[in-house]
Amino acid sequence: MKILVVGSGGREHALVWKISKSPEVNKIYCAPGNGGTSAIAENVNISSNDIVGLADFAESEMIDLTIVGPEIPLAAGIVDEFYKRDLKIFGPTKKGARLESSKIFAKEFMKKYNIPTADFEVFDNKEKAINFVKKNKGPFVVKADGLAGGKGVFVCNSFIEANDAIKQIMTDKKFGDSGNHVVIEEKLAGEEASMIVLCDGKNILPLVSSQDHKPIFDQDEGPNTGGMGAYSPAPVLESEVFDKTIQTIVKPLMRGIQKEIDTYKGVLYIGLMITKEGPKVLEFNVRFGDPEIQAILPRLKSDLLSIIKAAVEERLDKVELEWDNRACVCVVMASKGYPESYEKGKIITGIGEAEEMRDVIVFHAGTKIKSKELRAKNQELIEYITNGGRVLDVTALGNTIEDAIKKSYDAVNKIHFEDAYFRKDIGGKALKRSFNKC
Ligand code: AMP
Ligand code: GLY
């Protein structure tokens, strides 16, 4: 089969890496890809937002299946365009992608289908939003309605913080039109976890649990990012809570999707807060979590391509997944300054040494190859430079979460680029739980 993976982050490198192991695959393209994907797939210079360009490419190259990584092309209707041309693609339509592209749509949907989530109010007017936070007791979480790369959510512990968040979203338009409306939610207390489920429109197939680390600094301090690290499994989402999440969240969500959304062949990512009252939804995403999937795919023993094919062909009920029982940890190495501004073009060294370690995989996110000539002459001499905020996802499997943490940080310590930044506490919450159990 000829496969096209759309996107250029660590998630897409992980997808390409796993798909490349499938006996059914003959050729993988990645558009536009990154330094890491170019080693196992052919990078194609088409932006992941150029829907028509991607559909033209899939048509002319006779691609058998396209897999979409990021949310922006999904929200813009890439799946609808591919369906129009009778091209096979894995992902929800524009209508389904509203579960992620509009927080208001998602919250109303949850209300309608009795899915547990934080109480909320919606505002299209800055003064009314400010009055609300002035009059009511916080803390609040202020969210831009539309897409903001995971950065449009502000957890506010005071009126001053909430006021500032509303100003950034609605007056300064930090996220453009995504901030035309805000959602103001009650702040939930608990531990977060991610549940990622494959869906073929009729059947659901949950993947193993995982946990992200969204804030930039250790101990969950500082602004939110796209995700600074992840691990799987997440003990907080252990069997009872997992089953409760399926019953109280995933099943009603599926009922809603079948009623309101034409077809949904793609990923449902449910960001959860495990509260004292049970799991509640923080957000829906309509694609694989990044970096959660980097910590999940190394544990998947089954062939990912045949699973995704089954989803597209509405046969997920026939699929059983096989998992590696070991723990997996992914530490994100980022450019200093991320999630705000940062420099690019720093030379990266040590990836090879890290990859020589047993059970270590280095997924590339914001990297590119400095010299293509060098690469053509000798594969070993590839020189990578930084090309984004999140640069590398250093991932390791271990017999215990402790082993996996140690191995991934040992690998991180072999890799260098100027002003590299990474959190030092990835996996810490799982560790704490396992110590508390002893
Ligand atoms: P979201 O993009 O909506 O998942 O929000 C990003 C992050 O903000 C989440 O992963 C949480 O850390 C935090 N967050 C969002 N909503 C809430 C809430 N209602 N209560 C507490 N924290 C929240
Ligand atoms: N890691 C969070 C996300 O993918 O949105």
Side-chain angles (χ1 to χ4, degrees):
M1 286 177 78
K2 275 181 165 182
I3 307 298
L4 170 63
V5 174
V6 175
S8 60
R11 167 184 44 213
E12 288 74 30
H13 188 190
L15 288 168
V16 167
W17 168 81
K18 185 66 185 162
I19 288 165
S20 71
K21 298 180 185 305
S22 171
E24 289 190 74
V25 78
N26 303 112
K27 171 103 192 164
I28 310 176
Y29 296 95
C30 192
N34 60 34
T37 60
S38 69
I40 37 178
E42 185 176 327
N43 282 358
V44 184
N45 190 18
I46 305 174
S47 156
S48 56
N49 303 337
D50 179 1
I51 289 172
V52 170
L54 290 165
D56 288 347
F57 179 80
E59 243 169 18
S60 68
E61 290 301 319
M62 292 188 285
I63 299 293
D64 296 298
L65 177 62
T66 297
I67 298 165
V68 187
E71 61 278 16
I72 293 176
L74 293 168
I78 187 170
V79 172
D80 310 64
E81 178 67 26
F82 272 57
Y83 281 175
K84 245 196 280 172
R85 302 190 194 194
D86 227 1
L87 293 164
K88 276 199 178 163
I89 186 161
F90 178 64
T93 56
K94 188 172 180 168
K95 199 167 175 193
R98 294 271 289 158
L99 285 169
E100 176 166 358
S101 66
S102 168
K103 295 215 184 266
I104 299 173
F105 177 83
K107 294 296 282 191
E108 301 289 357
F109 194 98
M110 285 185 254
K111 200 159 140 188
K112 186 162 176 191
Y113 290 94
N114 276 323
I115 297 173
T117 187
D119 289 341
F120 69 101
E121 296 286 334
V122 174
F123 298 93
D124 63 0
N125 173 296
K126 190 183 73 171
E127 279 71 38
K128 283 187 182 155
I130 291 172
N131 266 337
F132 176 81
V133 291
K134 205 181 266 175
K135 277 199 195 129
N136 291 278
K137 221 170 120 280
F140 295 109
V141 182
V142 179
K143 302 183 174 185
D145 171 44
L147 295 177
K151 294 155 207 146
V153 173
F154 298 80
V155 180
C156 307
N157 291 311
S158 65
F159 168 71
I160 294 175
E161 283 176 10
N163 189 38
D164 182 56
I166 295 166
K167 183 176 161 289
Q168 286 191 51
I169 296 172
M170 299 192 96
T171 313
D172 305 347
K173 291 273 177 201
K174 198 168 175 189
F175 312 104
D177 286 348
S178 287
N180 289 349
H181 295 76
V182 287
V183 176
I184 301 183
E185 287 186 8
E186 79 174 301
K187 184 184 167 192
L188 297 175
E191 189 177 331
E192 286 182 51
S194 306
M195 180 176 268
I196 298 177
V197 179
L198 304 181
C199 178
D200 66 7
K202 291 186 180 136
N203 308 287
I204 50 163
L205 187 65
L207 306 186
V208 285
S209 63
S210 58
Q211 189 181 64
D212 189 12
H213 298 65
K214 288 212 173 86
I216 184 77
F217 301 126
D218 288 5
Q219 311 308 323
D220 290 341
E221 299 283 347
N224 276 328
T225 67
M228 292 302 294
Y231 62 84
S232 172
V236 67
L237 199 54
E238 91 285 352
S239 53
E240 214 175 279
V241 185
F242 195 93
D243 293 345
K244 193 165 179 191
T245 305
I246 298 284
Q247 292 309 324
T248 62
I249 294 173
V250 181
K251 287 198 172 160
L253 171 62
M254 260 320 280
R255 272 198 294 280
I257 285 176
Q258 284 176 326
K259 273 202 170 157
E260 319 243 342
I261 296 165
D262 35 12
T263 175
Y264 197 110
K265 296 177 182 184
V267 177
L268 285 165
Y269 162 128
I270 301 141
L272 296 164
M273 186 69 90
I274 313 302
T275 70
K276 277 192 190 133
E277 299 99 66
K280 294 190 180 182
V281 176
L282 293 175
E283 64 167 339
F284 292 132
N285 291 324
V286 296
R287 34 80 194 169
F288 291 113
D290 182 349
E292 287 97 319
I293 204 66
Q294 290 89 307
I296 290 176
L297 288 182
R299 298 188 58 216
L300 180 65
K301 287 186 176 169
S302 317
D303 173 21
L304 179 67
L305 182 55
S306 66
I307 298 163
I308 292 181
K309 243 175 75 186
V312 170
E313 291 164 8
E314 292 180 17
R315 299 185 276 107
L316 273 185
D317 53 331
K318 308 277 185 314
V319 176
E320 267 189 44
L321 301 179
E322 226 193 306
W323 296 100
D324 186 329
N325 282 330
R326 288 178 296 167
C328 189
V329 170
C330 167
V331 178
V332 173
M333 296 183 78
S335 305
K336 184 179 145 198
Y338 174 78
E340 303 294 335
S341 59
Y342 50 82
E343 289 178 11
K344 294 181 182 177
K346 313 283 186 192
I347 292 170
I348 309 169
T349 59
I351 295 177
E353 284 121 88
E355 282 177 328
E356 275 168 20
M357 291 173 62
R358 204 186 156 125
D359 293 327
V360 168
I361 312 152
V362 181
F363 294 121
H364 293 226
T367 74
K368 71 175 183 190
I369 291 173
K370 191 181 172 204
S371 163
K372 272 188 185 157
E373 269 171 58
L374 214 54
R375 184 188 170 224
K377 278 188 200 145
N378 186 339
Q379 197 77 12
E380 260 87 57
L381 286 179
I382 302 173
E383 196 168 31
Y384 295 104
I385 53 173
T386 65
N387 192 40
R390 292 191 290 177
V391 176
L392 294 169
D393 304 324
V394 184
T395 308
L397 285 157
N399 288 331
T400 61
I401 184 79
E402 202 176 357
D403 279 352
I405 293 170
K406 181 171 181 324
K407 230 186 274 175
S408 53
Y409 278 106
D410 285 349
V412 163
N413 288 327
K414 293 186 187 296
I415 299 174
H416 301 280
F417 53 90
E418 195 187 319
D419 288 336
Y421 170 76
F422 55 91
R423 274 181 65 159
K424 314 287 184 299
D425 63 345
I426 304 301
K429 286 188 194 130
L431 211 51
K432 231 193 228 162
R433 276 182 184 269
S434 55
F435 285 149
N436 288 344
K437 253 191 194 166
C438 300

